[in-house]
């Protein structure tokens, strides 16, 4: 039976507990401790230097830009930020690590005790973070039969490791945590978070316990789960595996397991008993990392409004949870939306009352057109002020929603102002009954059968007449006014 089928029943008695360790590549131009570039996709081993290669006599200097990016994440997660944090050496032997140790932070990490604002579906939840620390990436090994290759382009690239408290309780929550972190790092501009390029990588610690039990169960650590879908599959799979072991009286072994997405299964990699002794000690080549007042001030000054508070505000404006979630999916989209809302008063609209209309136009009509053209919101040829103008024209009763679509198409194609298009083409809708009544009177004379049908209870006939009037007015009749007039006219006096 598949995991999906058995899990709900197992979860009646068992509670999963998950803690994530997520590595995010910081988007600095140069490496963490040396000046080589961090560019992706260059020829193997073209981005190295004596420090990355572990040459004797080389000395590391921490990248100030990377520190600033990490501090931004710390501030955005309300973490305690150490004014003076320490680098440590973590020793292990592997071909992709020429120095023989990785520079990381152990006892005195940059950030502690933060929280990440996670959007679980359309519900906000604060998930506690144990720490966010700085480290450098290792190189990349690839194995081809009996030959192995090492590419050190990635070695020394600056990373942050975000470690959560063990308080996620399902694979879905873990995946939502990852999505929220992904959204935040992109929002802050500290990383593209491109998982296909390895810019965001997740290890998941998973245990289960009987419901009502306070103590944590023995956990395993799943390595190498590098897509939102894999996170979910891998964790669900592990939860079921552990519950089955415990229900048959066996033990969960404290081990590291490797997720194999192709096999849709995990395999033991190493047990805790064989675990490396990393012999951590403070790196004698590196002074403490100092986060001074001016750097904090710079970070605070450039910190944008975060997605969580914006989500909340959109909900207050009457936007649905799903739409609000889409609107904060990307900062450029949310900024566009905010700019359109800010422009509403200048077209005679109340910002809050018409936010929902702006949201609908943005998410359906504009995104539809951009998708069709393979453009991102940042490349939109249709500015936010024009979107506000369209909504203003509709809400102010100048044009109907249907005409507005045509105006949009033209404005999108030509860059002309919506109001100018309406004026030039005479698209102003007809709301004056005196103009509509003669047309209606003529139709009543010409269509006795249809009137009869309507009067005998065939409500659909109303649509027939609406269509006729629309045709006669090139679609310019105000639908609301027209409906009222028709209803009155069709009922016998
Ligand atoms: P390590 O030193 O092995 O990395 P940590 O104590 O730093 O272990 O924890 C690493 C991660 O494991 C954290 O995200 C933490 O929340 C999670 N974790 C710890 N214990 C458990 C457990 N029993 N079940 C699930 N996750 C756990
Ligand atoms: Mg760890």
């Amino acid at each position: 039976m598949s995991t999906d089928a058995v899990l709900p029943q197992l979860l009646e008695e068992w509670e999963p507990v998950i803690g994530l360790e997520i590595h995010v590549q910081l988007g600095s131009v140069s490496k963490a401790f040396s000046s080589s570039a961090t560019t992706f996709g260059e020829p193997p081993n073209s981005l190295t230097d004596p420090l990355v290669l572990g040459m004797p006599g080389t000395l590391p200097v921490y990248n100030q830009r990377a520190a600033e990016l990490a501090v931004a994440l710390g501030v955005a997660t309300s973490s305690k930020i150490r004014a003076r944090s320490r680098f440590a050496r973590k020793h292990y032997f592997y071909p992709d690590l020429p120095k023989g140790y990785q520079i990381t932070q152990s006892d005195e990490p940059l950030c502690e005790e933060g929280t990440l604002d996670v959007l679980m579906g359309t519900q906000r939840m604060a998930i506690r973070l144990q720490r966010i620390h700085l480290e450098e990436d290792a190189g990349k090994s690839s194995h081809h039969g009996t030959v192995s290759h090492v590419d050190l382009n990635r070695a020394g690239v600056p990373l942050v490791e975000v470690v959560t408290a063990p308080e996620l309780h399902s694979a879905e929550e873990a995946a939502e945590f990852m999505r929220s972190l992904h959204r935040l790092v992109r929002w802050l501009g500290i990383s593209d978070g491109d998982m296909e390029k390895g810019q965001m990588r997740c290890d998941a610690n998973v245990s289960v316990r009987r419901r009502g039990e306070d103590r944590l169960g023995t956990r395993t650590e799943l390595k190498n789960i590098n897509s939102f879908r894999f996170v979910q599959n891998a964790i669900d799979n592990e939860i079921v595996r552990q519950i089955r072991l415990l229900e048959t009286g066996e033990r969960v072994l404290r081990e590291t397991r490797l997720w194999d997405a192709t096999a849709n299964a995990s395999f033991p990699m190493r047990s805790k008993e064989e675990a490396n002794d990393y012999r951590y000690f403070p790196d004698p080549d590196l002074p403490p990392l100092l986060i001074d007042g001016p750097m904090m001030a710079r970070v605070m000054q450039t910190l944008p409004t975060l997605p969580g508070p914006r989500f909340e505000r959109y909900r207050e404006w009457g936007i649905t949870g799903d739409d609000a979630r889409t609107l904060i999916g990307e900062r450029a989209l949310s900024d566009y939306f905010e700019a359109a809302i800010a422009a509403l008063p200048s077209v005679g609209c109340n910002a809050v009352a018409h936010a929902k209309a702006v949201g609908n136009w943005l998410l359906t009509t504009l995104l539809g057109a951009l998708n069709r053209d393979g453009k991102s919101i940042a490349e939109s040829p249709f500015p936010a002020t024009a979107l506000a103008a369209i909504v203003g024209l509709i809400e102010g009763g100048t044009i109907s929603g249907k005409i507005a679509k045509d105006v949009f198409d033209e404005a999108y194609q030509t860059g002309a102002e919506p109001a100018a298009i309406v004026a030039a083409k005479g698209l102003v809708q007809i709301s004056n009954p005196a103009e509509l009544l003669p047309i209606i009177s003529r139709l009543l004379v010409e269509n006795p059968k249809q009137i009869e049908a309507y009067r005998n209870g065939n409500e659909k006939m109303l649509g027939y007449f609406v269509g006729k009037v629309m045709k006669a007015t090139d679609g310019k009749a105000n639908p609301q006014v027209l409906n009222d007039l028709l209803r009155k006219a069709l009922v016998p006096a």
Side-chain angles (χ1 to χ4, degrees):
M1 236 196 286
S2 82
T3 305
D4 288 355
V6 294
L7 195 54
Q9 203 190 341
L10 297 177
L11 292 184
E12 284 171 19
E13 255 191 77
W14 296 91
E15 181 189 40
V17 177
I18 301 151
L20 300 178
E21 295 167 277
I22 302 179
H23 287 93
V24 182
Q25 182 178 326
L26 294 170
S28 65
V29 173
S30 55
K31 291 192 176 178
F33 299 102
S34 58
S35 59
S36 298
T38 54
T39 327
F40 181 84
E42 294 299 302
N45 298 307
S46 60
L47 305 176
T48 64
D49 54 60
L51 191 100
V52 166
L53 295 172
M55 300 291 189
T58 52
L59 286 173
V61 177
Y62 194 67
N63 184 326
Q64 280 300 296
R65 177 72 186 142
E68 211 164 298
L69 298 176
V71 168
L73 183 59
V75 173
T77 52
S78 318
S79 299
K80 282 189 188 158
I81 296 173
R82 265 209 177 72
R84 197 184 152 89
S85 72
R86 273 299 220 177
F87 287 105
R89 291 182 178 183
K90 175 180 177 178
H91 296 83
Y92 62 95
F93 178 74
Y94 205 71
D96 64 18
L97 189 71
K99 292 199 303 299
Y101 60 85
Q102 177 195 24
I103 305 177
T104 179
Q105 298 191 302
S106 67
D107 296 342
E108 296 167 80
L110 181 65
C111 307
E112 281 174 303
E113 295 174 38
T115 56
L116 184 73
D117 189 354
V118 177
L119 205 52
M120 303 285 186
T122 55
Q123 219 45 48
R124 279 170 79 195
M125 207 164 142
I127 298 295
R128 284 183 306 130
L129 307 179
Q130 291 176 337
R131 55 193 279 147
I132 302 175
H133 67 250
L134 303 168
E135 56 187 37
E136 59 173 342
D137 210 344
K140 197 173 161 65
S141 310
S142 52
H143 309 287
H144 317 270
T146 54
V147 181
S148 290
H149 291 162
V150 174
D151 176 8
L152 295 174
N153 284 358
R154 212 177 69 181
V157 163
L159 307 175
V160 280
E161 180 175 340
V162 178
V163 183
T164 77
E167 57 183 34
L168 295 159
H169 295 290
S170 68
E172 177 56 36
E173 284 189 7
E176 289 284 51
F177 180 93
M178 267 192 91
R179 288 190 197 103
S180 293
L181 182 61
H182 183 255
R183 186 190 298 124
L184 181 62
V185 298
R186 289 173 56 85
W187 192 281
L188 296 171
I190 67 175
S191 175
D192 290 337
D194 187 334
M195 289 198 249
E196 295 191 347
K197 295 183 183 166
Q199 292 173 350
M200 192 161 160
R201 309 195 289 268
C202 174
D203 299 336
N205 297 271
V206 179
S207 65
V208 297
R209 61 183 171 194
R210 289 208 181 263
R211 294 212 174 264
E213 169 70 59
D214 294 330
R215 268 175 317 162
L216 292 174
T218 304
R219 69 173 142 135
T220 58
E221 185 173 353
L222 291 166
K223 290 264 181 207
N224 191 33
I225 40 184
N226 300 324
S227 86
F228 295 124
R229 195 161 48 87
F230 294 170
V231 170
Q232 206 143 333
N233 288 349
I235 294 175
D236 272 342
N237 188 284
E238 180 60 13
I239 291 169
V240 172
R241 193 188 69 86
Q242 290 188 11
I243 295 176
R244 288 221 163 109
L245 281 175
L246 296 171
E247 285 197 336
T248 53
E250 291 188 59
R251 278 187 323 128
V252 172
L253 297 178
R254 176 91 161 76
E255 64 188 0
T256 302
R257 300 176 68 88
L258 194 65
W259 176 248
D260 181 338
T262 327
N264 210 38
S266 66
F267 300 96
M269 197 167 118
R270 57 172 181 262
S271 77
K272 203 64 194 176
E273 289 74 55
E274 314 159 26
N276 291 309
D277 173 4
Y278 293 120
R279 293 174 293 127
Y280 280 99
F281 65 77
D283 192 313
D285 288 342
L286 280 159
L289 175 69
L290 302 179
I291 306 300
D292 59 12
M295 187 198 270
M296 280 303 282
R298 257 197 321 278
V299 170
M300 302 293 261
Q301 230 165 39
T302 53
L303 203 74
T305 317
L306 297 178
R310 283 200 184 173
F311 176 85
E312 213 62 55
R313 193 160 65 198
Y314 299 169
R315 295 290 286 128
E316 282 162 18
W317 290 347
I319 290 171
T320 65
D322 285 338
D323 283 354
R325 185 179 162 113
T326 308
L327 285 168
I328 60 146
E330 208 190 324
R331 181 158 157 209
L333 183 63
S334 176
D335 283 350
Y336 185 104
F337 180 56
E338 302 260 327
I341 298 291
L344 280 177
S346 70
V347 294
C349 277
N350 177 293
V352 174
H354 298 105
K356 200 169 152 71
V358 172
N360 286 340
W361 271 86
L362 172 52
L363 294 180
T364 51
T365 314
L366 178 58
L367 285 194
L370 293 171
N371 275 342
R372 182 194 63 211
D373 297 349
K375 288 196 165 111
S376 72
I377 186 76
E379 299 160 333
S380 173
F382 187 77
T385 47
L387 191 71
I390 293 251
V391 171
L393 289 167
I394 304 169
E395 303 293 330
T398 310
I399 56 174
S400 67
K402 190 164 172 307
I403 295 281
K405 288 270 195 312
D406 299 336
V407 174
F408 169 84
D409 284 339
E410 182 162 346
Y412 180 90
Q413 299 297 344
T414 64
E417 297 266 353
I421 296 170
V422 170
K425 299 204 150 179
L427 297 176
V428 176
Q429 78 184 340
I430 308 168
S431 305
N432 185 354
E435 279 182 66
L436 295 173
L437 279 171
I439 305 171
I440 293 175
S441 304
R442 181 166 52 79
L443 288 174
L444 293 187
V445 176
E446 289 168 5
N447 299 277
K449 276 207 197 106
Q450 286 80 358
I451 297 171
E452 186 70 16
Y454 179 81
R455 288 180 179 162
N456 286 333
N458 185 350
E459 267 280 325
K460 278 195 204 127
M461 278 304 144
L462 187 70
Y464 171 83
F465 285 104
V466 169
K468 286 267 178 200
V469 178
M470 282 299 184
K471 193 148 181 232
T473 57
D474 288 329
K476 288 190 289 185
N478 178 326
Q480 191 92 50
V481 175
L482 175 58
N483 261 294
D484 287 350
L485 292 175
L486 273 174
R487 277 185 194 285
K488 281 189 199 128
L490 289 171
V491 178

